[in-house]
Amino acid sequence: MISADRTDAASQTASGRKRAADLLARAERSELSAVFDALPEKPVAHQVRGPETGLVMVRGRIGGGAPFNLGEVTVTRATVRFDTGSVGHAQALGTDREKARLAAIFDALWQEDATKDFVEQALLLPIAERIADAERRKADETAATRVDFFTMVRGDN
């Protein structure tokens, strides 16, 4: 039987890895390259899969209705393995194979206790801040074009 503490820790690790994978997929290649170049010791990453590019079907749904096939998007994926046994996976929209390879390396580095904090501080937090700033800017631009309609109530019928 698994204890509640182990279950909670596994759940937190899974949600943290999901967050890391999401941020790595949304990273710019320049961000990944800069942090990789700043690594004090470069990991030896053996390619397990890819990087390879293919198509993925995107499904949509409108108003809670039945899902439908919207179209295909290009996705590049990569999987790497370190000598320590850590395996990193990455997927990203587009055809940038080097970006997918670097993201897979950082996924594997995030899983290792010795480098997890470095990846969080040097890479994931700045990416999260960039994304939040872009969303805030977009919300401000949208709010500036908002029109409020109101109805005046007249006293007569």
Side-chain angles (χ1 to χ4, degrees):
M1 187 168 174
I2 298 175
S3 71
D5 291 339
R6 283 185 61 199
T7 303
D8 290 344
S11 174
Q12 289 176 349
T13 300
S15 66
R17 182 141 183 236
K18 181 181 180 313
R19 174 188 154 274
D22 177 54
L23 290 171
L24 289 170
R26 297 175 73 182
E28 300 290 334
R29 180 179 178 180
S30 60
E31 294 169 319
L32 296 169
S33 295
V35 175
F36 186 78
D37 291 342
L39 281 171
E41 189 175 320
K42 306 289 188 275
V44 176
H46 305 282
Q47 293 182 354
V48 176
R49 179 185 319 142
E52 57 191 1
T53 301
L55 296 172
V56 174
M57 180 61 68
V58 177
R59 302 201 67 187
R61 183 185 316 215
I62 296 176
F68 59 93
N69 292 337
L70 182 63
E72 295 175 329
V73 295
T74 306
V75 175
T76 302
R77 68 180 181 178
T79 300
V80 298
R81 177 180 292 124
F82 290 169
D83 291 335
T84 60
S86 294
V87 177
H89 304 279
Q91 296 180 354
L93 291 173
T95 60
D96 191 342
R97 293 176 180 210
E98 181 63 10
K99 175 185 171 182
R101 186 184 76 78
L102 288 171
I105 290 171
F106 281 112
D107 179 49
L109 287 171
W110 186 89
Q111 296 174 61
E112 295 192 346
D113 292 335
T115 52
K116 183 176 185 175
D117 288 338
F118 174 80
V119 173
E120 281 287 338
Q121 297 299 317
L123 184 63
L124 299 182
L125 287 178
I127 292 169
E129 289 172 2
R130 176 182 53 80
I131 292 168
D133 287 345
E135 289 173 353
R136 211 174 4 262
R137 196 169 37 256
K138 186 175 181 179
D140 290 345
E141 290 171 3
T142 303
T145 63
R146 182 177 177 185
V147 178
D148 290 322
F149 293 95
F150 62 93
T151 305
M152 294 181 63
V153 177
R154 294 176 49 183
D156 56 315
N157 289 336

